[in-house]
Amino acid sequence: MKLRGRVVTPDEVIVDGVVEIEGDRIVAVGPASAGDDPAPGDDWLLPGLVDLHNHGGGGASFTAADPDQVATAAATHLAAATTSLLGSAVTDAPERLLAVVATLADATDAGLLAGVHVEGPFLAEACCGAQDPAYLLPPDAGLAREVVAAGRGHVRVMTMAAELPGADAVADLLAADGVVVALGHTAASAPVARTFLAAGRAPLVTHLFNGMPPMHHRSPGPALAALAAAAGGATCVELVADGVHLDDETVRAALTLAGDRAVLVTDAMAAAGMPDGDYELGPQRVEVRDGVARLAGGGAIAGGTSRLVEQVRRHAAAGLDPVRLVRAAATTPASVVGLTDVGALRPGLRADVVVADSSWSVTRVMKAGDWVAGA
Ligand SMILES: [Zn+2]
């Protein structure tokens, strides 16, 4: 099968390009030749998007330890172009957290998810955002091992704060088990964060600027340390580029500074793809008003309501380079967590392809060679 349109590869936009698919593989990507079928058009052809930080959607939560909810949330994001997704657990009581991780591992075995992200419980109380402070713990090697075991090889990312006692040892233990440690929900000083990042202990930073103190020029904190480390190639930084978590100017500056080390994530909760209303995020109650999710009673921002392609559309419509956006929404996130089979329109990779019209609205989604939406 051949698809034709404006093909976004990690290196360029092929204005009249063809992506050729056989079975579940991409077998060729290049310029169209005269007589190629189908006819030329102005659709965009993108790789399936890769979201590393996602708590749910379609009214369902990955944090509920409920297989039906996991399937609903995964399907909501798949239909909107996210063909690879980590299900994110939140801080909760240990037995409950382990049950959530085990359920997400089952969904990974079933092919619904690409793995598991565990956000907490080794986080800073001062920067816990919507994570329930009642269940925060200092880094604990025993619990870290239990989380990894519950995930049966599928825990890809765990978020933790660098300044907590024992953080270095637990980060090293997780790395030895193949888990990417993400620095986040942290009040670390700039030197502590810089040392942690420079040692290679955190190949990823959880939602840069959110869940950390605002940057002050005399006390720049973890935000500047993370951005500088990303600019120097020592880590990757997640950005929730939905117009709510970060100002668009902040996103553009961070994309420029972090370059190929920027990763767009949704941090989506159950309300993604749904109307305003009352929802849950793990043990916390959340109100969504005008598309903004906050802890009940007007508290901290409690996750996002976007789907990843909406962030790409938002910034592409504002004139950002589609190549850079697709790298941040597919290629870099796949690479940082070791999903070597996806993340780009490149021969040999799994045929995950998104077709969007000239205004970046998704019209069709292919996963592993099968149309899963809009065929
Ligand atoms: Zn989150």
Side-chain angles (χ1 to χ4, degrees), residues 200-231:
R201 289 207 161 93
L204 185 63
V205 173
T206 292
H207 44 49
L208 179 66
F209 298 118
N210 297 114
M212 53 187 76
M215 209 167 76
H216 185 282
H217 52 291
R218 280 189 292 275
S219 175
L224 188 69
L227 203 45

Side-chain angles (χ1 to χ4, degrees), residues 116-130:
V116 185
H117 161 223
V118 184
E119 193 170 17
F122 311 140
L123 309 176
E125 183 165 1
C127 296
C128 68

Side-chain angles (χ1 to χ4, degrees), residues 9-374:
T9 79
D11 306 310
E12 61 178 334
V13 175
I14 307 172
V15 175
D16 183 13
V18 168
V19 177
E20 194 174 346
I21 292 138
E22 279 177 24
D24 69 347
R25 294 289 120 184
I26 298 168
V27 293
V29 177
S33 11
D36 256 345
D37 245 5
D42 57 5
D43 280 348
W44 293 98
L45 300 182
L46 321 174
L49 304 185
V50 180
D51 191 357
L52 301 184
H53 189 153
N54 191 313
H55 303 286
S61 294
F62 293 129
T63 54
D66 171 358
D68 291 339
Q69 289 204 44
V70 172
T72 298
T76 298
H77 290 280
L78 176 62
T82 304
T83 50
S84 298
L85 180 62
L86 299 190
S88 298
V90 293
T91 300
D92 211 329
E95 65 273 18
R96 177 114 182 125
L97 175 65
L98 295 171
V100 169
V101 170
T103 306
L104 296 174
D106 290 343
T108 308
D109 282 334
L112 299 176
L113 299 177
V116 185
H117 161 223
V118 184
E119 193 170 17
F122 311 140
L123 309 176
E125 183 165 1
C127 296
C128 68
Q131 304 280 328
D132 193 333
Y135 300 115
L136 295 176
L137 292 170
D140 179 274
L143 180 56
R145 279 195 199 92
E146 284 186 84
V147 166
V148 169
R152 304 190 316 274
H154 295 313
V155 176
R156 297 247 176 196
V157 179
M158 186 161 186
T159 301
M160 57 185 289
E163 71 277 23
L164 300 178
D168 286 2
V170 169
D172 292 347
L173 180 156
L174 289 165
D177 275 321
V179 177
V180 170
V181 171
L183 173 64
H185 288 287
T186 174
S189 66
V192 167
R194 189 189 329 115
T195 303
F196 196 78
L197 293 162
R201 289 207 161 93
L204 185 63
V205 173
T206 292
H207 44 49
L208 179 66
F209 298 118
N210 297 114
M212 53 187 76
M215 209 167 76
H216 185 282
H217 52 291
R218 280 189 292 275
S219 175
L224 188 69
L227 203 45
T235 193
C236 292
V237 287
E238 294 180 357
L239 302 167
V240 189
D242 59 1
V244 173
H245 284 73
L246 299 171
D247 188 89
D248 289 343
E249 290 291 339
T250 307
V251 170
R252 283 177 212 133
L255 280 170
T256 300
L257 291 165
D260 278 350
R261 301 279 171 165
V263 173
L264 302 186
V265 297
T266 60
D267 197 3
M269 40 74 73
M274 297 291 284
D276 284 359
D278 295 333
Y279 296 89
E280 287 170 1
L281 179 62
Q284 304 273 64
R285 289 191 307 115
V286 176
E287 298 168 348
V288 179
R289 304 289 181 264
D290 300 322
V292 178
R294 290 189 175 277
L295 289 182
I301 291 181
T305 62
S306 76
R307 287 166 292 181
L308 199 52
V309 74
E310 292 156 4
Q311 298 185 18
V312 172
R313 182 191 309 149
R314 177 183 188 89
H315 294 283
L320 250 67
D321 175 14
V323 172
R324 181 189 278 191
L325 289 167
V326 163
R327 288 180 93 117
T331 318
T332 302
S335 143
V336 71
V337 300
L339 299 172
T340 54
D341 204 29
V342 298
L345 295 179
R346 191 182 282 148
L349 296 191
R350 197 172 78 190
D352 291 1
V353 186
V354 175
V355 184
D357 66 18
S358 57
S359 56
W360 293 91
S361 291
V362 173
T363 54
R364 285 185 289 170
V365 180
M366 174 184 283
K367 182 173 178 180
D370 291 324
W371 293 113
V372 292

